[in-house]
Amino acid sequence: MGIADDQRYRRVRRYRANGDPRGYVKVKNRRALEGLLAHRRGMLARLQAVVGIDASKSVQGVEDEIGIIEAGLEELKPPPGSLPENEWTGSH
């Protein structure tokens, strides 16, 4: 592993530890963003099913994160025609 690889590895680990979707965009990790999006959507569904307490602030926070993740995925989307359609859309 070279110096550049080592620096990238540290950067990815730092972003993973923080759970910051912008970090995955910065290191161009579409798979991680897709996994994070699925996780956040599951969290949102569970939060929306909560009764007995006011979960509205948590719901809003997760919705905000979903927006950031979706924007990140859009930013990483390849230009039209650069990949077969199923290469990009097959995992959504």
Side-chain angles (χ1 to χ4, degrees):
M1 182 178 334
I3 292 173
D5 293 331
D6 187 48
Q7 289 171 341
R8 183 174 186 272
Y9 174 75
R10 287 183 188 158
R11 199 170 53 233
V12 170
R13 284 193 60 199
R14 183 175 65 241
Y15 291 130
R16 284 184 183 157
N18 295 334
D20 186 347
R22 291 166 291 208
Y24 291 119
V25 175
K26 189 171 184 176
V27 296
K28 299 181 181 352
N29 193 336
R30 182 174 58 100
R31 266 200 193 122
L33 277 173
E34 290 170 345
L36 196 56
L37 180 59
H39 177 263
R40 293 304 194 270
R41 285 181 174 160
M43 280 179 57
L44 182 60
R46 288 189 297 277
L47 281 169
Q48 290 171 330
V50 169
V51 294
I53 63 167
D54 181 10
S56 61
K57 288 184 181 181
S58 296
V59 167
Q60 185 60 54
V62 172
E63 287 175 341
D64 291 347
E65 286 187 14
I66 287 172
I68 292 168
I69 295 166
E70 288 173 340
L73 284 169
E74 191 62 32
E75 187 177 321
L76 294 178
K77 195 172 187 177
S82 63
L83 288 176
E85 188 63 24
N86 63 348
E87 284 292 318
W88 177 255
T89 60
S91 58
H92 287 298

